[in-house]
Amino acid sequence: MPEEHSQTVMAVDELQAIIQRCQILEEADFKGEDFNLFQVAGQKCLEDGYAAQLLEVIQNEKNKVIIKNMGWNLISPLVRCIFMYKQEDDKREHCLMILDQLAQLCNPKELFLGLLEQIEQTSGEQVCQTVMLLLQPLQTVLLKLQNKKAYSVGLSLAMIMNQLTPLPVPYTKQQIQEDKLGLCQCCNAVVDFAKPFVNEVVKNVEKSSEYNDMELKEELIKFCMQSLKYPLLAAQLEQLEGIEDHPFRHFATEITDILWNIGELIPLVFVHHKGKSPHWENQEFADIERKNSADSLACLSYLMFVQHFGVECFPVVFSPSYLLLCNMTHIEVLLKRTEESVLSKGLDLFESCLLRMEDNSLLHHYLELRDFINVPQDLVKIMTLCPMEHMRKKSLNILQLFIDKFDTEGKYTLFRCLLKTSNHAGVEGYIIKNIKDQIHLALMKECDNIWFTGHHLISLLDLVLSLPEGAETDLLQNSDRIMASLNLLRYLVIKDCESDNQTGVWTTLGKIEQNFLKPLRVGLNMSKAHYEAEIKNKKENRKEAHSSNTVCSVTVSGEKMPAMTTGMQLQVLHSALFTFDLIESVLARVEELIEVKTKAVMDENS
């Protein structure tokens, strides 16, 4: 115990000795050695638990000049000690008081750099704790700065957000409530940190623009853009039951409020903001900046049009089709991502824009724009490749919504495009069913519909009533498309009399038989014979093995399937035969209808 006391006295004595030595020096006469001795002695006092004595030294008016010049050196050991002590410990309280005193007394420029260095060096679970601890002193220092204030504010916000970005964003209700790493709390603390600087810009918004004010505004825009990309783009922003004050919804409100207050919300929503982006000689850097900006703007549109943040500021003069046009670029950006949190935002934004529109109101001219072709193709990819079933279903529903909004020529053009690009039999079958529905409407209406009757329809039927590789086509893989095509042809033969020939199907019947029906019949016979032979072969092999549990491997469409017993393989083969029988029955019915109708016309003419 006496030894501990002597060590303490030694640490405090050393500090006092350095202080007394520096008190008699002019500020300009301080040397590097003095800074080092002060830092070592101060650090020893903190680590030995004698923060109270250090606080007295700092509060002593005689030491004001010394603390102004040397105090910033204590930031690193001070932060370590604050985290070392428990919340209720008096020593921790003394350390916090020291931090507050340093913010008031130290040279702002030196302390600013010291605080930023401490934030930069933190990592892992302590990131949010460190940031929240240092936000207040950092704000105090920034408000004191006279030169390069805008730059310093921007540097601080960028450094903080860069440190937060590697942290996982809480997504589920439980994760948000737990806020294990403190990210939810920290994000909202950062917004509070930025508010004095926002107010400064707002005060000058009506005045003549000065360079500094414009620069500070640009830095705040950068912060908002960074916040939109992270954490908001990855965050769950739906209102969750049991969470009254959703931290990310609160953060989103604050970010949109900042943009509105500095006069940038509406311009960013409607214009691809270029701002004063630096010219990058390195193209890779330019691409990264463009992508980051695209992600942020897409998130902002989602906040406004889906979650209605800032909607009270929104001018109600734009048509639904114009809003869809403005948002298609953002929708494309979001739909190209694979993360559920981002992808769902893209689907919700697309759906929200479409639900504002009346059916058949979207002009076909929009399909001349790249985004209006790319987005439905992205939907098809989600429908066919996304591992999440609810996403696949939602994509299908939205594709139908998109189809419904176009005028007749638009639907026709979209169908042609999707048939050529989807490369998926299920999607092609779905499009063909839509074509059948449009033909039905055309035949039911009294007014002419030139796009789903006559020569336009014949051109479309050339795409629909064909086999990709003739008789060699994989009928099993293309069964959805083939069944939809046969059902369409059956409908046309039943509904459109040869004497009327509104659809033109009777004129092109010879071509349909040559390109579709005959090769389909040949393909069916080949496929059935092949699969029947396979079944016979499997049964014989099973008898030889005296067991149905022999494990074999099967290759389907070039891909090796999981190992299956012979019994399982037989089940798959029988299922394929059933599909061929189904196709054959519809094909036979179509051929029968064509024969009956053709014979009836010939009898009338004879």
Side-chain angles (χ1 to χ4, degrees):
M1 199 63 192
E3 189 181 340
E4 277 184 28
H5 179 71
S6 65
Q7 284 179 347
T8 304
V9 171
M10 206 162 96
V12 176
D13 285 349
E14 281 177 12
L15 180 64
Q16 289 289 4
I18 295 158
I19 292 290
Q20 285 168 11
R21 175 181 157 187
C22 292
Q23 277 177 347
I24 60 172
L25 295 174
E26 292 295 325
E27 190 173 345
D29 294 332
F30 292 153
K31 296 176 183 176
E33 184 187 355
D34 299 323
F35 285 86
N36 292 335
L37 290 170
F38 176 83
Q39 182 181 8
V40 170
Q43 181 174 330
K44 189 160 179 55
C45 285
L46 286 167
E47 288 172 351
D48 289 350
Y50 294 93
Q53 286 85 339
L54 180 59
L55 179 61
E56 284 178 21
V57 169
I58 290 170
Q59 288 175 329
N60 190 329
E61 189 70 21
K62 293 178 184 176
N63 302 329
K64 196 172 181 180
V65 175
I66 299 168
I67 302 305
K68 177 189 171 187
N69 287 276
M70 302 184 188
W72 64 274
N73 279 308
L74 296 175
I75 291 296
S76 181
L78 191 57
V79 169
R80 281 201 304 273
C81 288
I82 289 171
F83 289 137
M84 187 174 68
Y85 298 128
K86 291 182 179 176
Q87 196 77 27
E88 63 280 359
D89 198 320
D90 286 343
K91 292 173 186 173
R92 187 177 191 276
E93 189 58 38
H94 290 139
C95 288
L96 291 171
M97 290 170 72
I98 291 170
L99 184 60
D100 181 59
Q101 285 292 305
L102 294 178
Q104 302 298 332
L105 300 172
C106 286
N107 180 312
K109 183 181 173 183
E110 299 291 353
L111 186 58
F112 167 68
L113 294 173
L115 291 168
L116 272 199
E117 185 181 3
Q118 195 59 38
I119 290 171
E120 186 180 21
Q121 288 174 353
T122 188
S123 61
E125 294 185 5
Q126 281 203 329
V127 168
C128 290
Q129 288 176 284
T130 305
V131 169
M132 284 191 285
L133 174 67
L134 300 181
L135 279 176
Q136 187 58 58
L138 186 58
Q139 185 190 69
T140 302
V141 169
L142 285 169
L143 289 169
K144 286 182 177 184
L145 285 178
Q146 299 302 317
N147 299 323
K148 294 191 175 180
K149 183 176 182 178
Y151 169 79
S152 301
V153 170
L155 186 61
S156 302
L157 289 168
M159 175 75 72
I160 290 165
M161 295 308 292
N162 286 341
Q163 288 297 88
L164 295 180
T165 299
L167 301 179
V169 178
Y171 191 73
T172 66
K173 178 182 173 181
Q174 185 180 346
Q175 287 171 346
I176 292 169
Q177 286 176 323
E178 285 178 0
D179 193 18
K180 195 173 178 183
L181 298 177
L183 181 66
C184 301
Q185 188 183 351
C186 189
C187 285
N188 285 296
V190 175
V191 169
D192 289 337
F193 164 81
K195 280 181 180 176
F197 311 108
V198 175
N199 293 337
E200 195 172 317
V201 171
V202 170
K203 283 177 189 174
N204 290 288
V205 120
E206 301 297 327
K207 297 179 185 177
S208 58
S209 298
E210 294 175 14
Y211 178 74
N212 253 8
D213 294 331
M214 288 307 296
E215 200 178 27
L216 183 55
K217 182 177 177 179
E218 285 289 332
E219 296 298 345
L220 291 170
I221 292 170
K222 286 179 194 172
F223 162 65
C224 290
M225 293 287 275
Q226 199 167 357
S227 300
L228 289 164
K229 181 173 170 60
Y230 176 94
L232 292 176
L233 187 60
Q236 163 66 269
L237 292 167
E238 297 292 340
Q239 190 64 63
L240 298 172
E241 189 180 342
I243 301 182
E244 192 172 329
D245 190 14
H246 190 311
F248 287 125
R249 287 181 67 86
H250 181 266
F251 184 61
T253 303
E254 295 283 3
I255 293 298
T256 50
D257 282 351
I258 289 173
L259 289 171
W260 171 252
N261 289 332
I262 64 176
E264 287 294 327
L265 181 61
I266 302 303
L268 280 173
V269 168
F270 287 103
V271 181
H272 282 218
H273 181 70
K274 292 182 179 131
K276 295 182 181 177
S277 298
H279 173 72
W280 295 104
E281 290 182 10
N282 185 319
Q283 186 57 42
E284 188 180 344
F285 288 165
D287 291 342
I288 290 169
E289 187 181 336
R290 189 159 45 250
K291 183 185 180 304
N292 288 343
S293 175
D295 287 344
S296 302
L297 292 172
C299 184
L300 182 60
S301 277
Y302 168 82
L303 292 180
M304 178 163 273
F305 294 108
V306 178
Q307 296 298 336
H308 305 120
F309 292 112
V311 75
E312 66 280 356
C313 316
F314 186 71
V316 288
V317 294
F318 302 110
S319 69
S321 57
Y322 179 72
L323 292 180
L324 177 63
L325 174 64
C326 290
N327 278 304
M328 282 303 267
T329 302
H330 305 317
I331 291 164
E332 185 182 0
V333 166
L334 297 172
L335 293 189
K336 288 200 184 302
R337 298 283 288 273
T338 54
E339 310 94 311
E340 181 182 2
S341 57
V342 182
L343 189 54
S344 63
K345 287 179 175 66
L347 293 174
D348 288 344
L349 180 57
F350 197 13
E351 184 180 45
S352 173
C353 291
L354 292 172
L355 289 173
R356 288 183 167 88
M357 305 182 69
E358 293 183 10
D359 287 354
N360 310 306
S361 66
L362 193 59
L363 300 176
H364 60 275
H365 304 299
Y366 283 98
L367 287 168
E368 295 171 11
L369 302 172
R370 181 183 59 84
D371 296 335
F372 279 79
I373 292 295
N374 288 351
V375 165
Q377 290 176 355
D378 289 333
L379 278 179
V380 167
K381 286 176 185 171
I382 298 167
M383 286 159 49
T384 55
L385 300 174
C386 182
M388 293 166 280
E389 186 183 3
H390 66 286
M391 291 289 193
R392 296 197 300 271
K393 287 181 177 176
K394 184 160 188 172
S395 299
L396 179 62
N397 293 337
I398 292 172
L399 179 63
Q400 187 61 58
L401 256 183
F402 189 55
I403 292 168
D404 293 343
K405 300 308 170 187
F406 273 103
D407 60 16
T408 311
E409 186 178 347
K411 289 183 175 73
Y412 177 89
T413 306
L414 188 57
F415 292 156
R416 286 189 73 91
C417 171
L418 290 173
L419 282 173
K420 287 178 179 178
T421 60
S422 68
N423 297 316
H424 189 278
V427 175
E428 290 163 0
Y430 186 79
I431 297 302
I432 292 166
K433 180 183 176 301
N434 264 276
I435 291 170
K436 176 175 166 287
D437 293 342
Q438 290 304 311
I439 295 169
H440 179 72
L441 287 173
L443 294 176
M444 295 298 105
K445 286 179 182 176
E446 293 181 7
C447 58
D448 289 339
N449 182 333
I450 63 167
W451 293 101
F452 290 96
T453 56
H455 72 278
H456 286 300
L457 178 59
I458 290 172
S459 173
L460 193 57
L461 291 178
D462 286 345
L463 276 177
V464 173
L465 303 175
S466 65
L467 292 175
E469 295 165 39
E472 303 292 322
T473 300
D474 186 335
L475 301 186
L476 199 60
Q477 194 170 341
N478 287 277
S479 60
D480 287 342
R481 178 195 168 117
I482 292 166
M483 284 297 290
S485 299
L486 285 170
N487 281 324
L488 171 58
L489 184 55
R490 178 174 60 179
Y491 171 84
L492 291 172
V493 171
I494 292 171
K495 286 291 182 183
D496 192 14
C497 300
E498 191 172 353
S499 55
D500 295 337
N501 197 24
Q502 285 178 268
T503 61
V505 67
W506 295 101
T507 310
T508 191
L509 194 57
K511 191 177 180 182
I512 292 169
E513 286 180 336
Q514 190 64 36
N515 293 343
F516 183 57
L517 298 178
K518 284 183 181 176
L520 180 56
R521 172 63 68 186
V522 172
L524 276 170
N525 292 337
M526 287 166 55
S527 298
K528 287 181 73 174
H530 172 71
Y531 275 78
E532 283 166 354
E534 276 289 312
I535 288 171
K536 185 180 178 183
N537 187 37
K538 293 290 177 193
K539 284 181 177 177
E540 286 175 0
N541 288 344
R542 184 164 67 172
K543 283 177 186 175
E544 287 174 16
H546 302 292
S547 169
S548 63
N549 293 323
T550 307
V551 177
C552 307
S553 65
V554 175
T555 301
V556 178
S557 300
E559 290 187 18
K560 196 169 183 180
M561 302 297 286
M564 295 190 291
T565 64
T566 305
M568 291 162 70
Q569 291 175 61
L570 282 168
Q571 197 174 354
V572 170
L573 293 168
H574 279 297
S575 176
L577 270 183
F578 176 77
T579 301
F580 297 145
D581 288 341
L582 200 60
I583 293 172
E584 190 172 38
S585 68
V586 181
L587 174 61
R589 177 60 179 152
V590 169
E591 290 172 333
E592 181 189 342
L593 285 167
I594 291 171
E595 186 181 346
V596 168
K597 287 226 172 184
T598 307
K599 189 173 182 298
V601 171
M602 288 173 65
D603 290 346
E604 282 179 20
N605 294 337
S606 60

